[in-house]
Amino acid sequence: MFVRLAGLMFAIVCVVSLVVLRLDNNEKKAQAEILRVQVEEMQTYVDSLQADIDKPFDDEYVADIAHGELGLRYPQEVVYYSDGEG
């Protein structure tokens, strides 16, 4: 009687452990998929940064940076400001 009860308890513990491990495995797979997507996004970002680094560093590139990011203008350019209305 005791042996059967011990065997039954052991079987229950094994089944519960198996279910817990299966749920944990599913959770880890979901996390792995999320991380895989993040890695792909970061790789795309790194590729775009590498493309910026690989651009030739010529006068046109310097002018684009000065004009676009620093807001500098050529002397012959006319800049109009608006208050945003109308």
Side-chain angles (χ1 to χ4, degrees), residues 11-68:
I12 290 172
V13 168
C14 288
V15 168
V16 169
S17 296
L18 183 64
V19 169
V20 168
L21 288 174
R22 178 72 67 173
L23 292 174
D24 190 45
N25 187 33
N26 291 341
E27 182 181 328
K28 297 298 180 192
K29 284 182 180 180
Q31 288 175 349
E33 180 63 24
I34 290 170
L35 292 175
R36 186 190 61 75
V37 169
Q38 288 177 350
V39 166
E40 288 178 1
E41 290 172 355
M42 286 292 112
Q43 188 60 48
T44 302
Y45 179 66
V46 167
D47 291 343
S48 71
L49 291 177
Q50 187 63 46
D52 286 344
I53 290 171
D54 292 342
K55 285 182 184 176
F57 194 74
D58 57 0
D59 291 340
E60 182 180 338
Y61 176 73
V62 172
D64 286 343
I65 296 296
H67 192 267

Side-chain angles (χ1 to χ4, degrees), residues 63-76:
D64 286 343
I65 296 296
H67 192 267
E69 293 185 20
L70 301 177
L72 300 178
R73 302 288 181 245
Y74 289 107
Q76 68 271 17

